[in-house]
Amino acid sequence: MLRLAWRRLTSKYSRVQPERLVIAALRHTTPSYTNSGNTGKFFRHCTHRRHQQPPPNVRSTTFHFLRLSPFTSMASGGEGPPATPPRHTNRLAKERSPYLLQHAHNPVDWYPWGQEAFDKARNDDKPIFLSVGYSTCHWCHVMERESFEDEEIGKLLSDNFVCIKVDREERPDVDKVYMTFVQATSGGGGWPMSVWLTPDLRPFIGGTYFPPRDHGRRPGFKTVLTRIMQQWQHNRSNLESSGDRILEALKKGTAVVATPGESPPLAPDVAQRCFQQLAHSYEEEYGGFRDAPKFPTPVNLMFLMSFWSVNRSTSEGVEALQMALHTLRMMALGGIHDHVAQGFHRYSTDSSWHVPHFEKMLYDQAQLAIAYITAFQVSGEQVFAEVAKDILLYVSRDLSDKSGGFYSAEDADSFPTSGGSEKREGAFCVWTASEVRQLLADVAVGASGSANLADVFMHHYGVKEQGNVAPEQDPHGELQGQNVLIVRYSAELTAAHFGVSVETVNELLASARAKMAEARKVRPRPHLDTKMLASWNGLMLSAYARVGAALGDEALLERAAHAGHFLKEHLWDAERQTILRSCYRGDQMEVQQISPPISGFLDDYAFIICGLLDLYEATMQTEWLQWAEELQLRQDALFWDSAGGGYFCSDPSDSTVLLQLKEDQDGAEPSANSVSASSLLRLSQYTGRQEWLQRCQQLLAAFSDRLTNIPIALPEMVRALMAQHHMLKQIVICGQRESPDTKGLLEAVHSLFLPHRVLMLLDGSSDGFLRQRLPALSSMSQQGGVATAYVCQDFTCSLPVTEPQELRRLLLDGNVEMQR
């Protein structure tokens, strides 16, 4: 199947009576995503994550205020450069969020989410208009330009509503609540999200993007606002009561609880069903799942490789591995991969990974780096390691703050090199054939005929004189005549075509890419969201730690440690013992915080804890293990549902958050409950805390229905269920951390993909944390004065080994002889 794909690649939505008028206004909105099939997942154009369909008992209610159309491909738009000083300045100018600052000069009386806005709505008895988005969202830019910068619409909003603007990345708790409402009432959702609330924050109407003016039978935003105002004046009680009924249905329909004494479902059955569901949605030619738009979905790929690790001898296991590796290969070759300036774009608008949505997100880079390094550990193919390093090169160069933190995203839109007042999607990344020929005019030394560097490059990367983007992938004409680089031939075929060696063609292509990277530096850059989020920094911490450990790359490990110190210095309130959600880059490149700062949410704790565990295993420095234990205790105190099991996404004591949700989908980011399940298992092994093992089982039991029926929605949690079933092995290495023999044993462990293990080092100096909590370690020591490894399960251990290759064989052999 892989060879066939490679050859193919190289060869070229019952109305409620009182709201009838409003419904008519809301039925014709432009979508932000589409339903992607029987998994109950949605994709949006401004894509941060996929959303599940609401539970059946919620979807059966009669409050379908709007129905979204099918997905549309990427569209043009974006704000132009300010030619004169702004005419308006609102409260958002005092905020630090790049998204809120983008709206600071709208003729709208915006408030940030907070008590001032809530009091204003209650005192004036006005409905709230809540607009949620994020700084690199293409359709958010469009709605701002069309509606929020419009003087007439701005006055209509300001005079009749209390307008609140929310950065969904700063306040995921607010976003989750109202997105759940929008999905339940419309059958879909996305960003920008537009929701109308009562003064006590209860939603009654919701949608996504609205065009500014009526077009044919399609009402515009102004009409929608006017009709909502009329309904608020004449049918307010009905609006409020219908919204209340939906909210109560949502509270019941979104509950995730375990019945007393319930156990998690059987892991082998769940894993097999998850594999079958993924295989059913797999696209064989180019890899990935479903047709366009096609997303990387690292959670799926990591599950497939974990499934293979425990099913290596079965045809299903082999197929799972092939699906994962083939998808990773095709993505690396495609236009979703930035071949000039590294990193990966958000998703592909077509099935062949060619024309992307050009936004680059930090969380994608983190998860893909881990997926690629895992593929390297599994297959030994150096190309996967190179892609992992390529991703981290991009992050280190373009998404890194000198403090050690990581920025959130780069926009898809930027100003064209040729000038113009409007941004275009992909302008920073695409090339005309004439640009390539001008930049790469040098002779290709050694190539047959009179071929120059441009000839080799254009052949290899599919550059065409008329552009290589099909019209259906460019509905707004932004990419006409442009080329999105995609590897069309292997290095061997390109070398044969030009009569040179593979080594020579690789040198020529590297030289060409370097020249184009220099040329790209002078282009107008896309907007950079310099907000630093705790959760996404936790994901990237894991990436640097795991890639650095697998490759033995000290520079990557130092960068990982720098990120760990950043999190502790800037996003940890030691006095309040609280993770902070975000911090920001100041005008002088300093790290700034808002007052009061936003307290962290579940995913902030969960992703940082996982990152700290990965950092410990990569560096063997127990300070990271100690902090992980401390944070897990705080996470339990803040978010654990002692009645139903599992963790709430936000603090249950926050009265402004109307729904207490437990996210039940691994989407563009893994669910924090999924990550927490794995971390609880790992921490129970490091600390001897049996209550964390029991808590993991309660968590998995709470999600039992989802795992049993739709495991494809939670592949990361299925991995945790598998680890809980197979039990984690303890790999204990006794030796001095910096000695060559100890390093050799550690390298042997890091060279392998072992999803069901924990790694410990006893070096006599910094292992007090472990020995104090795990009495069984007292019997382990070096043998014959050299570094020694023990492979244990529940601290029943194999015979000690001292040679790296012997340790590798022991770890790969599931039938080792154990002794006390």
Side-chain angles (χ1 to χ4, degrees), residues 432-598:
T432 64
S434 60
E435 285 177 310
V436 175
R437 292 198 178 280
Q438 183 176 357
L439 285 168
L440 307 179
D442 297 345
V443 173
V445 178
S448 58
S450 58
N452 60 15
L453 197 54
D455 295 322
V456 178
F457 186 89
M458 293 171 69
H459 176 83
H460 189 76
Y461 287 106
V463 177
K464 298 180 180 179
E465 298 293 340
Q466 71 275 21
N468 67 1
V469 179
E472 58 268 24
Q473 297 307 125
D474 183 30
H476 299 278
E478 292 179 294
L479 301 176
Q480 188 173 358
Q482 302 286 344
N483 289 273
V484 177
L485 303 182
I486 178 171
V487 176
R488 288 301 189 190
Y489 299 96
S490 66
E492 289 79 6
L493 287 174
T494 298
H497 183 81
F498 290 97
V500 297
S501 67
V502 173
E503 181 182 5
T504 297
V505 84
N506 283 331
E507 291 173 354
L508 291 171
L509 293 173
S511 172
R513 291 193 301 267
K515 289 177 182 289
M516 298 181 73
E518 287 299 314
R520 203 198 259 190
K521 287 179 181 179
V522 303
R523 292 181 171 184
R525 291 196 65 90
H527 160 71
L528 177 66
D529 189 324
T530 57
K531 175 175 70 267
M532 290 169 272
L533 298 172
S535 60
W536 297 358
N537 273 256
L539 290 172
M540 189 53 71
L541 172 59
S542 284
Y544 273 91
R546 293 180 62 170
V547 176
L551 300 178
D553 190 317
E554 290 297 328
L556 295 180
L557 294 177
E558 289 176 9
R559 182 65 183 91
H562 194 194
H565 289 297
F566 161 82
L567 286 165
K568 200 161 193 178
E569 179 180 356
H570 295 289
L571 289 171
W572 171 240
D573 186 331
E575 182 178 350
R576 294 169 53 223
Q577 293 286 288
T578 303
I579 287 288
L580 303 179
R581 172 62 177 175
S582 54
C583 59
Y584 310 85
R585 189 180 76 181
D587 296 335
Q588 305 302 316
M589 304 299 288
E590 79 280 18
V591 177
Q592 292 187 342
Q593 188 52 267
I594 58 175
S595 180
I598 303 170

Side-chain angles (χ1 to χ4, degrees), residues 181-198:
F181 170 82
V182 169
Q183 288 181 295
T185 57
S186 72
W191 295 271
M193 177 170 62
S194 305
V195 192
W196 286 264
L197 322 176
T198 64

Side-chain angles (χ1 to χ4, degrees), residues 31 113 146 193 203 258 317 347 402 407 431 457 489 516 570 583 594 614 643 681-682 686 737 817 819:
W113 180 267
E146 294 178 340
M193 177 170 62
Y347 63 85
K402 64 180 181 179
Y407 303 141
W431 307 87
F457 186 89
Y489 299 96
M516 298 181 73
H570 295 289
C583 59
I594 58 175
D614 290 337
L681 283 175
R682 296 168 74 183
Y686 284 121
R737 188 172 63 193
E817 183 180 349
Q819 65 175 18

